[in-house]
Amino acid sequence: MIAELFYRRQALVLGTLSMIGIVAFWQIAVDTGFINPFFISTPSQVAVEFMAQFEDGSVATNVAATLYCFAWSLGLAAVVGIVLGMLAGWFADVESALEPFIWFKYSAPTVAFYPLFVAWLGYGRPTIIAIAFLFALTPIYANTLSGIKNTDRDLARAARSFGAKPLDIFLRVALPGSVPVMMAGLRLGVGRALTGVVVAELFGANAGLGYAITYYGQLMQTTKMMVSIVIVVVLGVLLTQILSFLETRTDSWRVDNNR
Amino acid sequence: MAQIEIRDLGIDYRKPKSNEVFSAVDSVALSVEKGEFVTIVGSSGCGKSTLLMAVAGLVSLTRGSIEIDGKRVDGPGPDRAVVFQEASLLPWRSVRGNVKFGLEMQRWSGGDLNERAMQMIRLVGLGRFSDYHPHQLSGGMRQRVNIARALAVDPEVLLMDEPFGALDAQTREIMGTELLRIWERAKKTALFVTHDIDEAIFLADKIVVMGRNPGHIKEVIKVDLPRPRNEAILDSEEFHELRKRLRAHLAEDMSSMQLVQEVA
């Protein structure tokens, strides 16, 4: 029975076990004096500190601040990325015109633009949202582009044989066919947007998880800092999982049913 | 007057790299009567699919003309519907959604779309599978959906481009018999491209044999086998005779192809 359960959920069980193992190792390594808690704190201290920060409301404040910027940046990146991606995927000229910018985006680290945004928008949310927007934009744009551009020629031809006009082909063939690829782009974008928000918050913010991390980091309060790091990790996993779930829902037609 | 009238048809392609002009089909003339089942057979590269796509209005003509019921073809139209070879079904739509697709594109006004689609799905024997998606169906079932999608728009002419080319021999035979059953009920003019000799004879009122370099018509053979047909005719004397004749044609093409390869 237990063995059967194990085999069925092997990946999940092993993953959980290794997580528990690492946390236990962390706790034991510090308790036995193997590692100085100053550098890494301990799981038990972090848990206690988490409860404290939870009760005084700072967890809620920081998560809310980070999620606010995250939602704006991802939302903007999704709208701009999908619209531009659709245009570039459908009209080769648009793709050529946008190409150099995408090139820059790929070759230059986005954070390098940070001081520029500070000069334009000042310290605070607009700059954070702008940086995170740039982080998230590329995969969403690139995936939408490739989805539309690689529209199945046979399907397009079949549609034309029934008298489909270019707009029909775009709406009924290219767009629905691209949804799974676009969802994959959004999933990547979610991770990028969160990274962008936290990185920008490290540099200049008055709330948010990234802000809390630098703030306590500079005060050398490792335990308090670890609380926010753990929250960022959990948040990232959670958000990406939601998108992965949506992704599998939208591309059920692409895979064999008896998988 | 014939329903499909093809006169002095020529189709040239420009090769994308060398810019060389290459003639896929040349000097083709053919008339097809209303309700006739015509198969087009030939080895690969003889331009048989190009000819069919030209009738469908999906390929532009270099020379000559194609008329259907006296009207010149200059693009796809509701008087024709195509059954394609492979996965030309929309994978994200159900069987019913796919059969409705052509109706949606043509802004069908002949009543309820769902009702019309279901009628066609039942005609091809897939009534129980209307909510399935293409990836859940076998190759033969998918081609039934393809046929239903084409018949749904009620075309005058049914164009089929090796629809059973990807199926195994046995399924292919079953589908051939099925197609004849459906065709006899639907009363459509049919143009059917294949490279399978038996299939070409079994289905046809008239076989168009094509040759290569450039694609042209070598012979048009009338088939007088009685209808309705079943597998039994595969063993008849007349069938054997026709098969021998077609084989000779294709063998000729094969040997000339080998010669070209040896010279090259």
Side-chain angles (χ1 to χ4, degrees):
Chain A
M1 247 296 278
I2 292 170
E4 191 191 323
L5 202 69
F6 177 79
Y7 283 117
R8 216 147 27 120
R9 305 221 165 253
Q10 195 169 13
L12 190 68
V13 170
L14 287 178
T16 313
L17 282 180
S18 78
M19 279 292 293
I20 294 171
I22 285 287
V23 173
F25 175 76
W26 176 10
Q27 181 76 42
I28 291 163
V30 177
D31 283 350
T32 54
F34 189 63
I35 299 174
N36 186 340
F38 173 76
F39 293 116
I40 192 144
S41 183
T42 66
S44 55
Q45 279 178 306
V46 171
V48 170
E49 179 57 31
F50 174 81
M51 287 316 294
Q53 287 192 22
F54 188 79
E55 264 152 34
D56 73 13
S58 52
V59 167
T61 314
N62 288 331
V63 169
T66 298
L67 282 183
Y68 175 86
C69 293
F70 167 81
W72 267 103
S73 57
L74 181 70
L76 287 173
V79 171
V80 175
I82 288 174
V83 168
L84 287 183
M86 290 195 307
L87 286 171
W90 199 243
F91 302 107
D93 288 346
V94 176
E95 189 195 359
S96 311
L98 290 176
E99 182 115 328
F101 299 100
I102 298 307
W103 245 57
F104 295 156
K105 268 286 289 125
Y106 270 125
S107 357
T110 309
V111 221
F113 294 95
Y114 183 75
L116 203 60
F117 282 115
V118 172
W120 292 346
L121 304 168
Y123 282 104
R125 285 182 171 176
T127 299
I128 295 168
I129 291 170
I131 285 284
F133 162 79
L134 278 188
F135 263 78
L137 183 63
T138 347
I140 299 174
Y141 166 80
N143 275 39
T144 309
L145 163 76
S146 83
I148 299 283
K149 196 176 166 184
N150 297 325
T151 295
D152 191 322
R153 283 166 189 280
D154 290 341
L155 293 186
R157 189 176 64 163
R160 270 200 297 135
S161 79
F162 286 104
K165 302 280 171 286
L167 185 65
D168 291 322
I169 294 178
F170 180 78
L171 293 175
R172 311 287 187 108
V173 180
L175 211 51
S178 308
V179 167
V181 193
M182 278 158 61
M183 288 304 291
L186 277 177
R187 174 171 50 81
L188 296 172
V190 162
R192 298 278 208 97
L194 189 64
T195 312
V197 170
V198 172
V199 166
E201 282 175 347
L202 291 176
F203 290 121
N206 47 29
L209 294 163
Y211 161 77
I213 292 168
T214 20
Y215 179 79
Y216 291 119
Q218 278 159 0
L219 295 177
M220 305 283 183
Q221 295 186 335
T222 317
T223 306
K224 290 187 173 175
M225 182 177 80
M226 284 304 290
V227 169
S228 295
I229 292 179
V230 170
I231 296 173
V232 167
V233 171
V234 172
L235 213 56
V237 171
L238 220 62
L239 290 169
T240 310
Q241 282 305 308
I242 292 172
L243 263 289
S244 294
F245 172 72
L246 291 177
E247 202 182 330
T248 51
R249 284 294 298 272
T250 55
D251 78 346
S252 59
W253 51 265
R254 290 216 302 191
V255 292
D256 238 76
N257 218 34
N258 43 22
R259 180 171 58 163
Chain B
M1 197 184 65
Q3 182 165 40
I4 306 176
E5 196 69 64
I6 302 174
R7 289 193 197 91
D8 191 32
L9 178 70
I11 296 164
D12 295 347
Y13 285 123
R14 203 169 279 280
K15 286 184 182 166
K17 282 205 177 122
S18 55
N19 236 0
E20 230 176 306
V21 175
F22 152 84
S23 193
V25 168
D26 197 38
S27 311
V28 164
L30 180 69
S31 343
V32 177
E33 299 300 325
K34 194 172 174 60
E36 219 176 3
F37 201 124
V38 174
T39 58
I40 305 174
V41 68
S43 50
S44 56
C46 71
K48 55 190 191 295
S49 283
T50 307
L51 174 60
L52 193 81
M53 289 301 128
V55 178
L58 292 167
V59 166
S60 50
L61 317 184
T62 316
R63 294 175 293 281
S65 67
I66 300 173
E67 280 176 10
I68 292 178
D69 292 323
K71 229 179 72 204
R72 238 183 138 99
V73 168
D74 65 347
D79 51 351
R80 287 149 290 150
V82 188
V83 178
F84 291 93
Q85 182 173 11
E86 288 190 5
S88 76
L89 300 174
L90 300 173
W92 53 87
R93 285 192 176 212
S94 66
V95 167
R96 187 177 4 186
N98 268 291
V99 175
K100 272 160 69 178
F101 181 75
L103 297 168
E104 289 169 15
M105 289 301 107
Q106 299 189 356
R107 277 87 182 159
W108 175 262
S109 55
D112 186 45
L113 286 191
N114 269 313
E115 198 31 61
R116 174 76 185 161
M118 282 311 296
Q119 209 181 320
M120 291 301 128
I121 292 166
R122 281 193 290 268
L123 176 67
V124 299
L126 288 180
R128 289 194 302 119
F129 300 95
S130 62
D131 290 325
Y132 280 52
H133 280 72
H135 68 92
Q136 296 167 302
L137 305 176
S138 68
M141 290 160 93
R142 260 178 261 172
Q143 284 314 75
R144 284 169 194 259
V145 181
N146 242 321
I147 293 168
R149 179 173 69 176
L151 285 175
V153 299
D154 198 21
E156 297 291 322
V157 179
L158 196 57
L159 303 169
M160 291 170 273
D161 185 18
E162 302 200 38
F164 310 142
L167 306 179
D168 61 84
Q170 219 171 352
T171 314
R172 200 176 178 132
E173 227 168 76
I174 297 169
M175 289 299 292
T177 318
E178 262 301 281
L179 178 63
L180 282 187
R181 178 186 69 81
I182 295 165
W183 171 75
E184 268 151 24
R185 287 184 55 181
K187 301 258 177 272
K188 305 288 179 197
T189 308
L191 271 186
F192 186 106
V193 165
T194 180
H195 59 257
D196 186 298
I197 292 176
D198 282 6
E199 196 171 67
I201 304 168
F202 183 73
L203 297 170
D205 292 318
K206 193 158 95 183
I207 305 169
V208 176
V209 187
M210 289 188 70
R212 336 161 17 108
N213 293 328
H216 61 283
I217 294 177
K218 294 174 82 170
E219 194 185 355
V220 176
I221 303 171
K222 275 216 108 23
V223 180
D224 288 324
L225 294 163
R227 291 189 189 270
R229 294 174 189 170
N230 56 42
E231 288 81 3
I233 68 157
L234 293 171
D235 300 316
S236 70
E237 189 67 27
E238 198 179 349
F239 199 95
H240 280 294
E241 281 303 315
L242 286 166
R243 186 191 276 151
K244 223 189 276 173
R245 218 157 125 194
L246 287 179
R247 275 218 183 120
H249 269 305
L250 296 194
E252 207 177 278
D253 247 25
M254 279 300 156
S255 58
S256 71
M257 190 160 79
Q258 266 163 10
L259 207 69
V260 171
Q261 275 167 353
E262 275 162 34
V263 171

